[in-house]
Amino acid sequence: MPNTWPAELGPVICVVGARPNFMKMAPILRAFATHQPAIPTLLVHTGQHYDRDMNDKLFEDLRLPHPDINLEVGSGSHAVQTAEVMRRFEPVVDEKKPSCVLVVGDVNSTLACTLVAVKKGIPVVHVEAGLRSYDRGMPEEINRVLTDQVADLLYTTERSAADNLAREGIAAERIRFVGNVMIDSLLSNREFARKPADCLNASGIDPALIKGKEGFGIVTMHRPSNVDHQDVLESLLNVLREISESIPLVFALHPRTKANIERFDLGHLINSARMIMLPPQGYLEMHGLMSNARIVLTDSGGLQEETTALGVPCLTMRENTERPITVEQGTNTMVGRDVGAIRHHAAEVLAGRGKSGRVPEFWDGHTAERIAADLAGWLIENQGRR
């Protein structure tokens, strides 16, 4: 390995587009900066999800440098958003001449920037490759499958991902099992996590509501299949209200969920001192809440991983998961939208019979360092071959 980065190799363009991407990219950028030699990077924010206040706070919480370029794409349909990211990203690739484009996760920006790079002969590196829910009704599943098909280098979070990729005809030499960068962020930010009482105080809510001997639970729910249909949303809110009689539930209320609760006139189901409504929380706030919770009920992908790493029982209100290791080895239980299953497993957790699980292999806080070491060697070895 040379002492300095080869001048003929351009920067690694690192793409973020939505909140989950930031947690994955922060440790990668730190690892690239401290690698010997340092790997030059250019951080591009597509602006796929953008709330100025939350965005700035998230960058600060994660100690993530502000983007070198913001494409400011904004919201839109899947087709419009993907096309607009491609249109705005192409000139960046033309001007900056990167050694590769590194994408994370499965949002529209992941696929859009991948397509631009591949069509221009620029190597694509996909972090968090090979995850599959096998539900083509999820837009994220389409993004995952297509990105993996054309990426040159695929970094996986769990060993089973390689089997998924092999079934899709992807050569083993393109795949590297390195671990989970989300857990790098989680572990590196433990000391900075906000206290639950401070999270409630910030919203004008009395922290005494969660200081009883029973502790508290966390709820997040935002997926269209759970919140866009009145009968489904009503049944989920009903069972959550029932569970709140045993343990107070802190509900970080997603804007989509809040709007549909109002649209379907279901506000009475959350109008309880035991159902504590908070606005969307920052990363360090959610970290502190999850770390201290007795149970998490969610339909989020990332929270399945984080609760497994923290050892907190998690009930996932989805019919499938692209993160099976959280069920097989971790603390996650799939309950779908089955009210009976949600009620039963919540009672088991609160009775002390929840899954304890174990932390999966390579979820050790050093994944980004493994990526940096492997990618630097791969780029230097392959320079001039394309």
Side-chain angles (χ1 to χ4, degrees):
M1 185 72 65
N3 293 325
T4 58
W5 193 253
E8 58 271 28
L9 277 176
V12 176
I13 290 184
C14 298
V15 177
V16 294
R19 177 185 169 113
N21 295 167
F22 304 151
M23 282 81 95
K24 296 163 191 171
M25 195 61 75
I28 292 173
L29 291 176
R30 284 196 290 274
F32 284 6
T34 56
H35 183 268
Q36 294 299 321
I39 303 171
T41 58
L42 187 80
L43 181 60
V44 174
H45 186 350
T46 67
Q48 176 181 328
H49 290 174
Y50 193 82
D51 176 294
R52 184 170 299 277
D53 292 336
M54 287 297 289
N55 188 83
D56 290 347
K57 185 180 187 320
L58 192 52
F59 273 73
E60 179 183 344
D61 285 352
L62 292 167
R63 292 162 286 136
L64 183 65
H66 281 270
D68 299 292
I69 296 172
N70 193 321
L71 302 182
E72 299 182 341
V73 167
S75 59
S77 70
H78 289 289
V80 168
Q81 194 173 67
T82 302
E84 192 61 20
V85 171
M86 292 180 70
R87 188 181 73 82
R88 298 190 188 195
F89 185 60
E90 184 176 34
V92 175
V93 172
D94 289 339
E95 178 188 352
K96 302 301 181 181
K97 297 179 172 50
S99 58
C100 68
V101 171
L102 185 148
V103 296
V104 296
D106 52 23
V107 300
N108 288 339
S109 296
T110 302
L111 176 59
C113 293
T114 293
L115 291 174
V116 170
V118 166
K119 287 175 178 287
K120 289 185 167 293
I122 306 297
V124 172
V125 177
H126 186 202
V127 174
E128 200 183 70
L131 297 181
R132 296 291 182 270
S133 67
Y134 293 99
D135 178 1
R136 293 294 177 92
M138 295 175 64
E140 298 93 337
E141 183 78 353
I142 305 302
N143 294 339
R144 286 189 285 262
V145 170
L146 295 180
T147 297
D148 286 342
Q149 277 297 317
V150 295
D152 296 80
L153 202 54
L154 298 99
Y155 290 117
T156 64
T157 61
E158 54 186 83
R159 289 194 182 274
S160 66
D163 297 330
N164 296 336
L165 295 169
R167 281 191 291 270
E168 295 167 9
I170 294 171
E173 57 264 26
R174 291 163 55 193
I175 304 167
R176 311 281 199 276
F177 170 52
V178 291
N180 195 331
V181 288
M182 282 279 281
I183 307 308
D184 287 18
S185 273
L186 191 75
L187 297 179
S188 68
N189 283 291
R190 267 187 158 169
E191 63 182 297
F192 306 112
R194 305 277 190 257
K195 294 179 180 178
D198 293 341
C199 300
L200 268 64
N201 271 326
S203 295
I205 297 171
D206 185 357
L209 292 172
I210 61 170
K211 289 184 176 178
K213 62 181 180 180
E214 70 267 56
F216 65 93
I218 301 295
V219 178
T220 76
M221 194 165 60
H222 71 282
R223 291 191 178 273
S225 57
N226 281 341
V227 305
D228 283 5
H229 307 284
Q230 181 172 351
D231 56 340
V232 174
L233 181 58
E234 185 171 5
S235 69
L236 291 175
L237 291 177
N238 268 315
V239 74
L240 290 171
R241 186 181 177 98
E242 181 181 330
I243 293 167
S244 76
E245 294 172 5
S246 301
I247 185 171
L249 296 178
V250 177
F251 201 142
L253 199 56
H254 189 278
R256 184 187 196 111
T257 309
K258 181 181 180 182
N260 282 332
I261 288 173
E262 294 171 355
R263 179 161 69 101
F264 299 139
D265 194 25
L266 299 175
H268 60 284
L269 295 178
I270 60 172
N271 185 20
S272 163
R274 306 278 291 182
M275 295 273 281
I276 302 162
M277 299 296 124
L278 294 182
Q281 296 294 288
Y283 179 74
L284 296 180
E285 284 77 11
M286 278 304 298
H287 194 330
L289 287 165
M290 275 194 302
S291 299
N292 290 278
R294 286 186 61 198
I295 185 172
V296 172
L297 299 105
T298 187
D299 58 13
S300 162
L303 264 62
Q304 296 173 50
E305 295 178 327
E306 291 171 331
T307 49
T308 279
L310 293 169
V312 176
C314 176
L315 303 186
T316 297
M317 296 178 288
R318 285 170 47 183
E319 302 302 323
N320 49 56
T321 180
E322 65 282 359
R323 294 164 168 88
I325 200 167
T326 64
V327 176
E328 295 160 4
Q329 298 183 20
T331 59
N332 187 22
T333 301
M334 305 299 297
V335 292
R337 293 181 288 276
D338 183 333
V339 169
I342 297 169
R343 182 185 297 117
H344 168 73
H345 286 288
E348 288 290 291
V349 170
L350 298 182
R353 296 188 292 269
K355 293 173 72 173
S356 55
R358 64 181 176 86
V359 177
E361 183 183 7
F362 279 179
W363 290 26
D364 56 4
H366 299 289
T367 295
E369 297 164 28
R370 288 188 282 270
I371 291 172
D374 183 79
L375 181 59
W378 186 83
L379 287 172
I380 290 170
E381 180 183 346
N382 287 279
Q383 68 184 99
R385 292 189 184 178
R386 298 182 71 90

